[in-house]
């Protein structure tokens, strides 16, 4: 079935460094790719998303890139801050079905001051 | 504006007991869904609904039932709880039924089945 692979599972960076999280998906019909951030004990919240007709999208310190040919997309966080520490989930829409997202298993990002 | 409200926040059950997790949203969203979150497993879709009277199965539907009698409410029923159902459960809603809209999550229900 459809699958979303996310790497790495844990990532530790120094404050001010960049962080990159990568995801691959299997469903060639997927056309929507959101990223959610979940702080400890809190609910997941959308931080950025990209659609299949766009190769890159940026919002201040975060950016997402999409390579549809290779079926992978990445989250880039620049100038990391301690408040960026959280678990990040990528997701891909399930082609041909209504209302479904397939999530990756998450990346725990730790930003050390 | 309450958004997506889940109750209870915590629940402990014994094996074989039944219970209902409540979810309500006040944003007039047509799409509602239930996910479970287990360590290292991400978020897995249990059931979803694209409108009142319409429900469908997600990735891991076994052991759970849902109904959608109103736009606002989407309860999740555990018929006979098992230890494998120990998890954190999130309800989420969206204005977009196509799967390409922002999901608004509730605050979660932490369920332990002994």
């Amino acid at each position: 079935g459809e699958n979303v692979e996310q790497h790495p599972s844990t990532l530790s960076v120094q404050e001010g460094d960049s962080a990159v999280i990568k995801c691959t998906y299997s469903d060639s019909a997927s056309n929507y790719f959101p990223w959610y951030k979940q702080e400890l004990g809190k609910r997941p919240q959308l931080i950025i998303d990209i659609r299949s007709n766009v190769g890159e999208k940026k919002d201040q310190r975060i950016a997402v890139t999409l390579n549809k040919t290779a079926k992978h997309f990445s989250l880039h966080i620049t100038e990391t801050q301690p408040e960026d520490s959280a678990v990040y989930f990528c997701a891909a829409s399930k082609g041909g079905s209504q209302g479904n997202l397939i999530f990756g298993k998450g990346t725990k990002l730790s930003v050390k001051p | 504006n309450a958004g997506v409200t889940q109750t209870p926040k915590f629940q402990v059950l014994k094996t074989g007991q039944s219970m209902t997790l409540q979810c309500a949203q006040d944003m007039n969203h047509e799409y509602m869904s239930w996910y479970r979150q287990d360590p290292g497993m991400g978020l897995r879709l249990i059931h979803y609904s694209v409108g009142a009277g319409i429900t469908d199965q997600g990735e891991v539907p076994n052991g759970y039932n849902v109904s959608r009698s109103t736009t606002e409410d989407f309860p999740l029923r555990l018929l006979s709880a098992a230890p494998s159902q120990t998890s954190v459960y999130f309800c989420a809603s969206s204005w977009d039924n196509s799967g390409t809209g922002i999901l608004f999550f509730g605050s979660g229900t932490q369920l332990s089945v002994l």
Side-chain angles (χ1 to χ4, degrees):
Chain A
E2 294 83 357
N3 190 40
V4 175
E5 301 264 353
Q6 183 172 347
H7 298 280
S9 55
T10 60
L11 180 59
S12 182
V13 300
Q14 289 294 132
E15 182 177 1
D17 287 350
S18 295
V20 180
I21 303 170
K22 298 182 179 182
C23 289
T24 60
Y25 60 98
S26 60
D27 188 347
S28 58
S30 295
N31 59 8
Y32 175 63
F33 308 91
W35 287 87
Y36 284 81
K37 175 184 179 182
Q38 186 180 29
E39 297 176 355
L40 187 63
K42 300 289 183 63
R43 71 193 77 190
Q45 291 189 299
L46 181 80
I47 55 170
I48 195 167
D49 57 9
I50 192 168
R51 299 183 186 273
S52 58
N53 58 347
V54 176
E56 183 174 1
K57 185 177 179 181
K58 190 174 181 180
D59 183 4
Q60 299 182 346
R61 296 186 298 107
I62 60 173
V64 57
T65 59
L66 171 65
N67 183 327
K68 284 219 74 178
T69 302
K71 294 184 189 173
H72 66 71
F73 56 113
S74 300
L75 178 71
H76 305 253
I77 306 174
T78 59
E79 302 172 21
T80 54
Q81 301 167 2
E83 51 265 38
D84 294 329
S85 296
V87 178
Y88 292 81
F89 293 98
C90 65
S93 61
K94 189 176 178 182
S97 298
Q98 284 189 319
N100 282 0
L101 285 177
I102 306 297
F103 282 84
K105 294 183 178 181
T107 297
K108 183 177 181 181
L109 174 64
S110 299
V111 180
K112 299 183 178 179
Chain B
N1 188 351
V4 181
T5 303
Q6 283 184 242
T7 55
K9 292 190 181 299
F10 302 95
Q11 183 70 49
V12 179
L13 292 178
K14 295 181 179 178
T15 298
Q17 286 185 318
S18 63
M19 79 158 296
T20 300
L21 279 63
Q22 301 292 344
C23 177
Q25 52 89 11
D26 61 0
M27 298 175 283
N28 202 31
H29 286 172
E30 290 294 328
Y31 176 81
M32 295 186 75
S33 57
W34 278 101
Y35 287 86
R36 60 176 289 173
Q37 183 175 29
D38 302 293
M41 296 297 292
L43 293 154
R44 293 183 292 170
L45 183 66
I46 304 171
H47 286 285
Y48 67 99
S49 168
V50 297
I54 306 169
T55 63
D56 207 345
Q57 297 180 352
E59 300 172 70
V60 288
N62 293 340
Y64 308 96
N65 275 0
V66 292
S67 60
R68 184 92 180 272
S69 56
T70 66
T71 299
E72 294 77 21
D73 300 297
F74 191 45
L76 178 72
R77 296 183 187 87
L78 282 70
L79 305 176
S80 178
S84 60
Q85 294 179 305
T86 293
S87 187
V88 179
Y89 292 84
F90 286 100
C91 178
S93 72
S94 176
W95 68 79
D96 192 328
N97 279 340
S98 69
T100 63
I102 300 172
L103 281 177
F104 292 86
F105 285 86
S107 57
T109 296
Q110 189 168 324
L111 176 67
S112 295
V113 183
L114 306 177

